[in-house]
Amino acid sequence: MTTAIDLPAASAQDNPYTLSHLDALEAESVHIFREVAGEFENPVILFSGGKDSIVMLHLALKAFAPASVPFALLHVDTGHNFPEVIEYRDRTVAEHGLRLHVASVQEFIDNGRLRERPDGTRNPLQTVPLLDAIETGRFDAVFGGGRRDEEKARAKERVFSLRDEFGAWDPRRQRPELWSLYNGRHAPGEHVRVFPLSNWTELDVWQYIEREKIELPEIYYAHERDVFQRSGMWLTAGEWGGPKEGETVERRLVRYRTVGDMSCTGAVDSDAVTIEHVIAEIAASRLTERGATRADDKMSEAAMEDRKREGYF
């Protein structure tokens, strides 16, 4: 009688036909970029200079190498951006010879199409300039860096997310995506938001940045900064209206987990000055990056979903 022998499970290193976790995520994202290039006429990549859009652009460069990326970039500029991030954005565009469209919230305020909010935050004001840029540019697919692990409304969204002629998102119109088959059909005036990083986590993003040696704006690493506390977050002083009376500015060692409008993006206390330290810090965290550092998501229990229904990212 023969006896069964238990063999150790083959690892990705032992089996050349097995992809590692990061390789599988990369392959999925590259497939999505190429699928969009084949299905749509005029896609655009939302690019803010934040880590997720940086990784997304890196994947797009890989997807079409050695050719150039066949899409333009679009940044909705609130006017309250971190200078380090804008400098990185412009340098990256120049380095890769990319086309950049900028939709300015300040211009919409100046011409009366938008009104400044009492709290000074401009993140919720990005929707109108975004939809105007999509209509003006006739973009039929818009790549975004949203991930399902960020926030519960984003967890509901598919990789291909249909938006109606007003840019609005309706969860009831979500399409099945079995076997990674993506349906890009849309009526005239509609467009599709595409999320190549949908299945990634914050930790995946950072591990990929480490593996690929991707450069980031320096504010993602610990540095000394003048900040003040509001609603449990460390905010950067600026022309947007902070600090107010009674809010004291302190010099602290902080870093940013996510980057957005200065008025609603908080820093976290951190001594993580290297990517290895950042990865260890994230692995130990029990708060999502948006839950810990984005005031605009705390306006109500369904703040993000309400904005997405109006056409937000």
Side-chain angles (χ1 to χ4, degrees):
M1 183 178 69
T2 58
T3 303
I5 300 175
D6 292 330
L7 296 176
S11 67
Q13 292 179 341
D14 299 327
N15 186 349
Y17 302 104
T18 301
L19 294 178
S20 70
H21 177 59
L22 290 180
D23 284 336
L25 289 171
E26 179 188 73
E28 179 187 55
S29 299
V30 165
H31 166 66
I32 291 167
F33 273 108
R34 292 172 177 168
E35 186 72 17
V36 169
E39 283 195 49
F40 295 87
E41 294 183 3
N42 190 25
V44 70
I45 300 175
L46 291 174
F47 186 77
S48 64
K51 71 179 188 313
D52 295 314
S53 63
I54 290 170
V55 167
M56 190 166 58
L57 177 59
H58 180 86
L59 290 162
L61 290 165
K62 273 197 166 189
F64 301 104
S68 59
V69 176
F71 318 128
L73 306 184
L74 170 61
H75 181 210
V76 182
D77 185 350
T78 66
H80 292 162
N81 299 287
F82 294 93
E84 301 95 326
V85 177
I86 295 299
E87 186 276 331
Y88 181 97
R89 180 201 71 182
D90 294 341
R91 179 160 46 85
T92 300
V93 168
E95 179 183 346
H96 296 290
L98 301 167
R99 294 169 293 141
L100 174 66
H101 300 276
V102 178
S104 171
V105 171
Q106 185 63 56
E107 288 184 9
F108 276 71
I109 292 173
D110 292 343
N111 65 27
R113 294 182 64 183
L114 285 175
R115 182 179 298 176
E116 199 83 74
R117 290 169 53 93
D119 59 8
T121 184
R122 289 184 175 179
N123 237 43
L125 302 184
Q126 293 180 89
T127 300
V128 173
L130 170 64
L131 296 179
D132 182 82
I134 292 172
E135 182 180 1
T136 302
R138 296 181 177 274
F139 300 123
D140 54 356
V142 182
F143 289 100
R147 309 187 320 269
R148 289 192 176 115
D149 75 319
E150 288 183 272
E151 201 274 338
K152 57 190 176 183
R154 287 184 166 171
K156 295 179 181 180
E157 207 152 19
R158 301 286 194 266
V159 174
F160 275 29
S161 179
L162 181 66
R163 301 298 176 105
D164 67 19
E165 63 272 24
F166 302 106
W169 172 65
D170 184 350
R172 294 169 297 182
R173 297 186 69 195
Q174 296 286 285
R175 294 162 173 172
E177 294 178 340
L178 300 174
W179 307 295
S180 298
L181 296 175
Y182 304 113
N183 182 354
R185 294 180 61 185
H186 58 283
E190 296 180 337
H191 70 276
V192 174
R193 304 281 173 91
V194 183
F195 301 101
L197 304 183
S198 190
N199 292 325
W200 296 55
T201 66
E202 182 185 11
L203 187 58
D204 293 331
V205 168
W206 276 100
Q207 289 176 335
Y208 188 74
I209 289 168
E210 179 186 37
R211 190 187 82 172
E212 300 290 302
K213 297 180 173 57
I214 300 173
E215 180 191 358
L216 295 180
E218 60 189 23
I219 65 174
Y220 278 107
Y221 301 99
H223 59 288
E224 288 193 346
R225 197 177 196 92
D226 290 331
V227 293
F228 64 94
Q229 193 168 60
R230 179 183 296 173
S231 301
M233 296 189 302
W234 294 111
L235 299 178
T236 298
E239 297 179 356
W240 56 270
K244 298 178 179 178
E245 185 177 352
E247 295 175 333
T248 305
V249 174
E250 302 179 31
R251 189 78 171 172
R252 298 183 71 89
L253 186 64
V254 299
R255 76 173 192 87
Y256 287 86
R257 288 178 66 180
T258 182
V259 170
D261 189 270
M262 292 174 67
S263 63
C264 62
T265 304
V268 295
D269 289 306
S270 173
D271 58 2
V273 295
T274 68
I275 193 164
E276 294 81 9
H277 293 156
V278 170
I279 289 173
E281 185 178 275
I282 293 169
S285 175
R286 292 296 176 266
L287 283 175
T288 66
E289 59 194 281
R290 294 190 71 94
T293 64
R294 294 298 287 267
D296 51 331
D297 289 346
K298 300 178 181 181
M299 293 179 180
S300 74
E301 191 69 22
M304 174 65 81
E305 183 159 338
D306 290 342
R307 282 179 289 157
K308 288 174 77 68
R309 288 178 182 272
E310 295 170 358
Y312 187 72
F313 306 134

